[in-house]
Amino acid sequence: MTRDCHMVWDDCLRTLKKSVNPQAFKTWFEPIRPVQLEQDVLTIQVPNKFFYEWLEENYVEILKKSIRQELGERGRLQYHIPDQSNTGLNKPLLPKTSTPQPRPGNSKPSAENDNEPVPGYFDAENIKNPFIIPGIRRVKVDPQLNTSYTFDNFIEGDCNRLARNAGLAIAKKPGGTAFNPLVVFGEVGLGKTHLAQAIGNEIVKNFENKVVLYVSAEKFTNQIIQAIKNNSVNDFVNFYQMLDVLIIDDIQFLSAKLKTQEIFFHIFNQLHQNGRQIILTSDRAPKDLEGIEDRLISRFKWGLSADLLAPDLETRMAILDSKIGDEGMAIPKDVLEFICYNIKNNIRELEGVMISLLAQATLIRRDIDLDLAKEVIRNFVTTINKEITVEFIQQLVAEHFNVSVDKLHHETRKRNVVIARQLSMYLAKKMTNKSLKTIGENFGGRDHSTVIYSCKAVQDMMDTDMIFKDTVAELEKKIKMSLND
Ligand code: ADP
Ligand code: MG
């Protein structure tokens, strides 16, 4: 049987799925459609040019590999990009209920507008009269951005790579990428607001004429309430429809606010249909938003939903290091490590510790060292192991060697259990002030000579095996650093 393009592509997808993470797979590979297979050339259709560029930039090697695997060494890939004018993105979604204002800004190539003076200034804070003054062709909107949130100080890590890169792509071509809307979601304190604002700031920097607005969902709701009161909903809608970039923060706040959702739905459709960029943040994935109408949720899924995860240790250290640098301060590396080991889930908390630490050091004129950091951190973490215990060491070592703590107490000759047991004894001797006798008792009632023997055995292994020595050092550090595990 000869294989057609679908079969070949399905097989490629199977390989690709193994080498890219699930979210990237869903974003970049699922939307691709195979269209033709001619000899060794497989043609695939991608949604737009940007998509193609992204694939070429980021996935070319694994694509090549999978194609060769399926079609042999001469196998090649060709892209097909459909005509953008009928991608379906521009289909009207709603009958118009109000006439859009004449557009300010630069949505069309508008040389006539470019040198015009700026006749009006719109301040979105001013709810009493937040709307365009009729007859004015070009208004200036205060984007309401906090300029200290930038891409430069938004440190990249595995936890935010997709969202950050999508944001950068949007900032280059607002409304012109597949990421419309971009929904950034994640738990509190992981950088949603920072990233959303960084995108806004970057667009303002790159495109002088684009009208950008950042608004919290709460403020957006309040403006609607005011507009209803003042009988000016149409003006409100018109104002929002002339934006080039709309950023709404914390859309979970719209939950159960039906009137607000209805108006937002309308604005969303108008903006999207006109190729304007929409950026939303949420504390949970769109599908998990409760009290938000299905028709809105389905629109949120049109673009890209990218989550922010808790950063790993290296990223936390990079973030903290950069923040401390911004303050014009420096702290010792072991203190930095200690803080990042202990504050894991929330970057805002990480900053909190840093600020307290800097404040304490200045106020009481003390050097920032590990002891001071420990004092400060106790206010931030709830459960603390005040001292290192034998049980705690057993737990960490057992975990590392993938054996149960229980096994350390019993007679087993299995090599990894024996090593885990000996190493736990060695670390207990080194890191607690327990006697040899007490340590032995903690290991199923062994006597002190067994502990001495174990310590010697570990020392010998460390002298001969560098990898083992590193493992010991790593575990020792982990034990020393963990206050709250
Ligand atoms: P959220 O909106 O998700 O609750 P924020 O955007 O307010 O979180 O971020 C909390 C704090 O953490 C902010 O001060 C922000 O600057 C900082 N932060 C978050 N992620 C990063 C990052 N990747 N690099 C640098 N700072 C970050
Ligand atoms: Mg926020």
Side-chain angles (χ1 to χ4, degrees):
M1 189 183 68
T2 46
R3 292 159 84 202
D4 66 11
C5 62
H6 297 277
M7 296 176 186
V8 171
W9 181 242
D10 280 349
D11 289 338
C12 286
L13 281 181
R14 226 161 281 140
T15 328
L16 290 163
K17 201 168 194 166
K18 286 185 206 138
S19 22
V20 296
N21 76 42
Q23 180 153 36
F25 183 80
K26 194 156 166 274
T27 311
W28 299 110
F29 295 98
E30 280 184 4
I32 297 175
R33 299 282 164 264
V35 287
Q36 195 182 43
L37 176 65
E38 212 164 286
Q39 293 181 335
D40 305 320
V41 184
L42 174 71
T43 307
I44 55 172
Q45 175 173 312
V46 297
N48 51 42
K49 183 155 170 286
F50 173 79
F51 211 94
Y52 148 74
E53 286 167 358
W54 186 280
L55 286 171
E56 280 287 289
E57 224 167 84
N58 296 283
Y59 298 108
V60 69
E61 285 309 322
I62 53 171
L63 271 167
K64 237 191 238 164
K65 206 169 126 205
S66 69
I67 291 288
R68 292 216 174 120
Q69 199 170 321
E70 296 310 319
L71 297 176
E73 274 309 300
R74 293 161 58 97
R76 277 197 302 120
L77 192 64
Q78 189 166 300
Y79 297 90
H80 173 70
I81 303 170
D83 181 1
Q84 291 290 295
S85 58
N86 54 26
T87 51
L89 282 180
N90 294 325
K91 271 196 290 226
L93 302 156
L94 247 198
K96 286 194 180 134
T97 57
S98 63
T99 347
Q101 287 285 117
R103 286 262 315 131
N106 68 341
S107 76
K108 292 191 201 92
S110 56
E112 0 113 44
N113 270 346
D114 275 347
N115 297 318
E116 256 181 28
V118 176
Y121 190 87
F122 170 77
D123 176 4
E125 286 286 353
N126 176 359
I127 311 176
K128 280 201 200 88
N129 183 18
F131 311 116
I132 314 173
I133 302 155
I136 287 179
R137 290 180 52 215
R138 184 167 167 193
V139 279
K140 187 148 176 65
V141 172
D142 180 342
Q144 306 283 322
L145 290 162
N146 175 342
T147 50
S148 58
Y149 289 128
T150 64
F151 275 107
D152 279 348
N153 60 22
F154 191 74
I155 306 291
E156 179 170 338
D158 287 343
C159 53
N160 61 30
R161 187 159 289 121
L162 178 68
R164 189 178 187 279
N165 282 330
L168 276 169
I170 288 171
K172 281 194 197 127
K173 285 186 202 171
T177 71
F179 316 135
N180 203 11
L182 173 66
V183 182
V184 177
F185 67 94
E187 286 177 22
V188 67
L190 294 183
K192 301 181 294 293
T193 300
H194 186 143
L195 179 59
Q197 297 237 15
I199 302 171
N201 280 315
E202 189 70 15
I203 295 175
V204 168
K205 192 172 95 192
N206 294 344
F207 303 89
E208 205 184 317
N209 284 327
K210 292 247 186 249
V211 187
V212 178
L213 182 72
Y214 166 91
V215 64
S216 68
E218 186 176 1
K219 191 191 270 182
F220 182 78
T221 306
N222 290 337
Q223 288 179 346
I224 289 179
I225 295 170
Q226 285 292 333
I228 294 172
K229 245 195 224 158
N230 300 341
N231 223 352
S232 56
V233 174
N234 266 355
D235 290 339
F236 176 89
V237 171
N238 284 337
F239 167 70
Y240 273 88
Q241 280 174 0
M242 61 127 220
L243 299 171
D244 290 303
V245 180
L246 171 61
I247 305 168
I248 304 192
D249 205 356
D250 289 321
I251 48 160
Q252 73 277 1
F253 187 84
L254 301 183
S255 169
K257 306 203 168 60
L258 293 183
K259 187 69 190 164
T260 305
Q261 287 183 33
E262 186 189 320
I263 294 171
F264 176 50
F265 181 71
H266 184 66
I267 293 169
F268 183 102
N269 287 333
Q270 284 289 325
L271 290 177
H272 197 276
Q273 159 183 337
N274 290 323
R276 315 287 170 72
Q277 182 68 47
I278 302 158
I279 297 156
L280 308 169
T281 78
S282 162
D283 69 355
R284 65 204 80 172
K287 68 174 175 41
D288 299 327
L289 279 165
E290 280 160 20
I292 304 248
E293 287 181 69
D294 287 347
R295 57 181 189 165
L296 263 176
I297 298 208
S298 79
R299 273 158 181 71
F300 296 164
K301 293 183 193 157
W302 281 354
L304 174 70
S305 301
D307 55 348
L308 296 179
L309 302 171
D312 56 29
L313 179 67
E314 285 72 27
T315 312
R316 295 200 294 277
M317 300 216 339
I319 292 174
L320 197 57
D321 200 32
S322 120
K323 304 242 177 229
I324 289 167
D326 288 346
E327 300 287 325
M329 311 277 285
I331 63 174
K333 184 143 184 289
D334 61 337
V335 176
L336 191 76
E337 265 175 7
F338 174 76
I339 297 173
C340 294
Y341 249 103
N342 285 287
I343 307 283
K344 299 192 173 120
N345 298 320
N346 188 320
I347 300 167
R348 198 171 290 140
E349 220 166 76
L350 210 56
E351 285 177 333
V353 172
M354 175 193 84
I355 291 164
S356 309
L357 195 60
L358 298 180
Q360 295 261 359
T362 328
L363 291 175
I364 54 178
R365 291 173 210 280
R366 242 176 89 176
D367 281 345
I368 298 181
D369 58 15
L370 215 49
D371 286 339
L372 183 60
K374 280 185 186 170
E375 278 169 36
V376 168
I377 234 170
R378 282 184 208 285
N379 299 325
F380 283 82
V381 290
T382 38
T383 45
I384 291 170
N385 280 318
K386 288 216 170 57
E387 63 177 325
I388 297 168
T389 61
V390 179
E391 289 77 26
F392 182 59
I393 292 175
Q394 288 174 331
Q395 201 183 316
L396 276 188
V397 175
E399 196 176 291
H400 182 90
F401 285 88
N402 211 3
V403 301
S404 70
V405 173
D406 212 34
K407 290 240 167 69
L408 303 182
H409 300 294
H410 299 122
E411 202 57 56
T412 326
R413 296 263 150 234
K414 266 202 175 148
R415 177 124 180 97
N416 64 334
V417 179
V418 173
I419 294 180
R421 187 190 301 123
Q422 292 181 335
L423 183 53
S424 304
M425 288 185 187
Y426 167 87
L427 291 171
K429 175 77 190 75
K430 185 165 176 196
M431 304 183 75
T432 69
N433 43 22
K434 296 279 179 304
S435 67
L436 292 171
K437 182 162 174 284
T438 317
I439 294 173
E441 280 162 5
N442 272 283
F443 287 82
R446 288 175 163 81
D447 68 23
H448 77 282
S449 62
T450 313
V451 181
I452 294 175
Y453 175 81
S454 295
C455 292
K456 173 94 178 56
V458 168
Q459 192 59 57
D460 287 348
M461 265 191 285
M462 282 182 6
D463 290 343
T464 49
D465 180 345
M466 289 311 281
I467 295 175
F468 181 73
K469 195 171 167 196
D470 286 347
T471 306
V472 177
E474 190 190 316
L475 279 166
E476 205 176 315
K477 185 160 151 191
K478 208 165 174 181
I479 293 164
K480 207 158 50 188
M481 292 293 178
S482 298
L483 262 182
N484 63 335
D485 266 323

